[in-house]
Amino acid sequence: MPRSSERVLLLAHPAGHSLSPLMHGAAFAALGMDAQYEAVDVAPAELAAVVGQLAHPPYLGANVTVPHKEAVVPLMHELTAAARAVGAVNTIVRRGDRLVGHNTDGAGFLLGLAELTQSGAEGTLPDLSSATCLVLGAGGAARAVVHALAGAGANVHVVNRNVERANRLVQELAVSPRAASVVNVADLGDLLPATDFVVNTTSVGMSGGPDPGGLPLIEATHLNALPPSARVVDLVYRPAVTPLLAAAGARGLVTQNGLPMLIWQGAKAFEAWTGQQAPVSVMRTAAERGLAQVTG
Ligand code: ATR
C-alpha cells in the first residue's frame, strides 16, 4: 500500500515569491520521495496552532521565515546550539512528537562562502581562522552570519546604521569579545585595507526593499581601500547583481550574491528532515530557474 505523502511547510507571512518550494520539490523528486513542500501564509495569531500541528505525521517539519523566526523559538521542545545562540529558528524538525528548532542560516552562509574560497571539497566549511570580515547590518540575518563567522574563527567587525542594535547583537551572541566588535561608519577607512570579506546583510540593494538603488553603509570609494584579494558577498539575490556587487565587480573584486546561502541553508534543512544527503546541484538548478522566471 502506498505511504501517504509526507509534508513540509514554509511558515511565512505573507507567503509569496519564495524559491524554497521549487528547491525542495525538486529535491524530493530527485530522491524519489513522496513528500510535498508547501508555503503557507500564517498570521502571527495562528502561529502557535500551526506549529502544534507539525508535531504529528504527516509532517517532517517546516521552514520558518519572516516574520516568525524568533516567535517560534518558545514553541520548540528543543533547540540546536546554533538556534539557541542566534535566537531564531529557520528549520523545524519533528522527532517523534517533539519539535526541534534548528538554524541552518549560519551553516548555509559558510557553505556558500566556501564556494568562493576554494579551500576544500563542495559542502565543506571554509577555513576562516585568519580572516577579517566586515558585516554590514545588525538585523536577523546578521545575527546568523556573525555567529557563524565567529564560530569559524574569523575576526568579525559589525557596522550598522543603528549602532545600539549592533552593540546588542555582539553582546547577545556572546561570542568572545576578540571575535566580534562594532565599528563606526567613520572608522571604516582604517579597517578596509585589512578586510578579507565584506558581507551585506541589510536589505539595501534588494528589489522592492527600502533602498533598491543604494549602497549599504559603505561608499563606492570605500571599496578602493579593500585589498585586491577581498571578496564581497551580498545576501540579497534579487537582483542577482546588486549595486554593491556591481561596484565591487567594477573594481575587480570577486563577488557572490545570496543564492549560494539560500541553496545551502535549504540543503542543510533538507538533510535534517530526511536524514538523506541533499541533492545540492538539483536544488541549485531549481532555484536558478525559479529566479530567472521571476526576474526574466
Ligand atoms: P533581516 O532579518 O533581513 O536581517 P531586519 O532584522 O529587519 O531584517 O534587519 C534589517 C537590516 O537592514 C538592519 O541592519 C537595518 O539597519 P537598522 O538596524 O539601522 O535599521 C538595515 N537597513 C534597512 N534599511 C536600511 C537603510 N536604508 N540603510 C541602512 N541600513 C538599512
Side-chain angles (χ1 to χ4, degrees):
M1 212 168 74
R3 209 158 46 121
S4 66
S5 191
E6 290 171 313
R7 292 186 80 195
V8 177
L9 300 183
L10 168 61
L11 312 181
H13 184 62
H17 306 309
S18 173
L19 297 173
S20 293
L22 293 171
M23 275 198 312
H24 290 295
F28 286 136
L31 268 57
M33 291 183 66
D34 180 21
Q36 291 173 1
Y37 184 105
E38 185 190 350
V40 286
D41 187 338
V42 181
E46 299 163 3
L47 185 65
V50 174
V51 169
Q53 289 174 11
L54 297 173
H56 309 283
Y59 294 103
L60 299 175
N63 270 147
V64 186
T65 189
V66 180
H68 299 312
K69 285 186 178 186
E70 286 90 15
V72 297
V73 168
L75 304 175
M76 298 294 104
H77 297 105
E78 279 174 52
L79 294 171
T80 62
R84 187 176 306 109
V86 173
V89 163
N90 80 325
T91 301
I92 299 173
V93 180
R94 181 174 67 81
R95 292 263 172 270
D97 58 0
R98 293 175 67 75
L99 298 177
V100 185
H102 294 235
N103 191 314
T104 68
D105 286 334
F109 170 73
L110 290 180
L111 290 166
L113 203 65
E115 293 181 7
L116 276 185
T117 60
Q118 297 167 346
S119 58
E122 187 186 72
T124 57
L125 293 174
D127 177 10
L128 297 172
S129 51
S130 57
T132 295
C133 304
L134 174 62
V135 174
L136 312 174
R143 292 178 74 92
V145 165
V146 172
H147 180 257
L149 287 171
N155 184 12
V156 189
H157 300 279
V158 182
V159 60
N160 195 45
R161 183 176 58 179
N162 177 340
V163 179
E164 238 341 279
R165 198 174 181 195
N167 284 326
R168 275 203 308 276
L169 179 148
V170 167
Q171 281 162 17
E172 286 171 13
L173 281 182
V175 291
S176 82
R178 197 193 58 77
S181 62
V182 177
V183 61
N184 293 314
V185 176
D187 298 329
L188 282 180
D190 297 337
L191 182 66
L192 289 166
T195 297
D196 301 299
F197 295 94
V198 175
V199 185
N200 175 45
T201 71
T202 78
S203 36
V204 175
M206 185 189 295
S207 93
D211 186 4
L215 291 175
L217 302 161
I218 59 176
E219 306 289 332
T221 51
H222 273 132
L223 296 171
N224 290 330
L226 287 166
S229 58
R231 286 108 204 263
V232 177
V233 179
D234 201 325
L235 300 197
V236 174
Y237 53 84
R238 279 187 192 123
V241 182
T242 60
L244 173 66
L245 296 184
R251 279 158 184 75
L253 301 174
V254 172
T255 63
Q256 182 186 69
N257 70 16
L259 207 54
M261 175 180 177
L262 177 83
I263 292 159
W264 283 106
Q265 66 73 33
K268 291 292 122 184
F270 185 91
E271 290 173 359
W273 297 318
T274 65
Q276 306 212 45
Q277 192 173 355
V280 177
S281 62
V282 168
M283 296 173 78
R284 190 187 305 273
T285 301
E288 285 171 352
R289 281 208 188 120
L291 199 56
Q293 272 170 14
V294 174
T295 54

